[in-house]
Amino acid sequence: MFGDFVKNKPVKIRGFSGNKKYGVAAKDLKELVKKGCKLLQLPVSGARVCLYQDGTVVTEDFFPTLPDNSELVLQSKDQTWPGVVCDIGQLLNTDRHADALIEAAKGLLSDEQSPKRRKILTDLLQNLEDRSELESREDDEDWFTGIDARFKSKSAYMKFNCESRIRGYMKEVDDATKTIQKAKVKAEFLKASKCLLEMLKNAKYNGSYFDRTGKEPDRLCTREGWFTCQGSFDKKMCQSLHSINPYSSRETRIIFSTWNLDHRIEKKRTVIPALLEALQNRQSTDVNLNYFYQMLFTRANLKLVHIVCHKKGAHNLTCDTEKIFTTARDADEAKEKARGKKRRLI
């Protein structure tokens, strides 16, 4: 008699859109789906339940093993919940400042044992409010907390965010001037630096990379604002399928600051020294500054990388000697010089 008794399992269930959670107790998955659909006014046919954390679908056999009060998402037939890397909403209810929150987020996101996402997110999750770019600060006041009042839209701030990173790369180029001893070389380097700056200004510091309203070839995100990790410098793609939408909430905007625009061929160890070497015995007009511009400031050499995928060690990649100079003769000389260095190293 008592062997047939099945204890009801308490869980917390939420819909695909919205953050409101409901406490539900059910003896099996079938009963949970039925009760959940009634609460959330969803059709029972095709409905399924998954884990809020990583999107794992809950089956009849899996249901009894769930810990009490597990957080679940109820989906209708055409919905897919990919899960979240972590829920840092609790952190935002503390009195910590943004800097402390960023450090906390780094710790949470650096766990390489986190479950892999099942798919790259291409559509804006309905549980995060899908607002238009005409949205004012008043419409989403929380997102703009801590942001200068001059930014009237999310895209305007995100463009500025990207521009700031690119300006930082330009500053590193300018700082290299301090290391040059020869006056003639320094003069040519200053000319090259000025030319690179003009190219950047014309491109508006490539701020369009983070602008979801920009043209598709120019932006790194979808129209909804989703960014996907492009993997470490030595990989073709992210093995963990990391993705994030900094447009969706204040917490994801802060987390996004921990993602890197990483140079495959390193700017400080490789690209800038290659530019300096090219100017040792030649004028800036002999150097292919378009190539160096691409290597320093564009997607030709930049990858957007999640903090876990960012490898800080030496990349061991070199500039293309055939592209460093504007003339074939100079390029051949540089190539021969590079071969000589390689032979000496061997």
Side-chain angles (χ1 to χ4, degrees), residues 94-193:
T94 69
D95 293 328
R96 296 186 228 189
H97 296 296
D99 289 343
L101 180 58
I102 289 173
E103 290 305 312
K106 284 182 180 179
L108 288 169
L109 293 176
S110 62
D111 181 10
E112 295 187 66
Q113 302 302 316
S114 297
K116 292 183 178 180
R117 296 198 174 199
R118 294 191 169 202
K119 56 179 289 191
I120 296 175
L121 301 177
T122 55
D123 298 315
L124 182 65
L125 294 179
Q126 294 180 24
N127 75 310
L128 299 172
E129 296 182 8
D130 185 13
R131 303 177 186 272
S132 72
E133 198 48 46
L134 295 177
E135 169 183 55
S136 67
R137 295 178 70 98
E138 290 75 17
D139 293 328
D140 195 358
E141 186 177 351
D142 183 63
W143 194 93
F144 288 91
T145 300
I147 291 177
D148 194 290
R150 73 178 184 273
F151 299 108
K152 304 302 181 184
S153 70
K154 293 178 179 180
S155 271
Y157 174 76
M158 292 302 294
K159 284 175 66 177
F160 171 79
N161 183 287
C162 186
E163 289 170 10
S164 296
R165 299 192 191 202
I166 302 295
R167 286 175 188 270
Y169 305 157
M170 188 65 230
K171 185 178 184 302
E172 289 186 60
V173 174
D174 291 334
D175 288 344
T177 309
K178 302 172 185 176
T179 67
I180 304 173
Q181 300 299 320
K182 297 179 180 179
K184 185 177 179 180
V185 177
K186 179 177 286 190
E188 290 302 322
F189 189 86
L190 287 170
K191 290 179 184 178
S193 177

Side-chain angles (χ1 to χ4, degrees), residues 32-59:
L32 175 63
V33 171
K34 186 177 180 180
K35 288 183 175 181
C37 287
K38 186 176 180 180
L39 273 172
L40 299 169
Q41 299 182 337
L42 291 174
V44 176
S45 177
R48 60 188 182 281
V49 174
C50 69
L51 298 182
Y52 171 75
Q53 183 183 11
D54 64 4
T56 299
V57 175
V58 177
T59 62

Side-chain angles (χ1 to χ4, degrees), residues 6-9 24-38 60 63:
V6 179
K7 180 184 176 182
N8 282 348
K9 180 179 291 295
V24 178
K27 65 178 183 293
D28 54 31
L29 182 62
K30 185 177 180 180
E31 183 180 9
L32 175 63
V33 171
K34 186 177 180 180
K35 288 183 175 181
C37 287
K38 186 176 180 180
E60 283 287 2
F63 181 77

Side-chain angles (χ1 to χ4, degrees), residues 30 71 81 88 174 183 185 188 223 225 294 316 319-320 345:
K30 185 177 180 180
E71 194 164 341
W81 177 262
I88 67 164
D174 291 334
V185 177
E188 290 302 322
R223 279 293 183 189
Q294 291 175 0
N316 296 321
C319 292
D320 188 341
L345 288 173

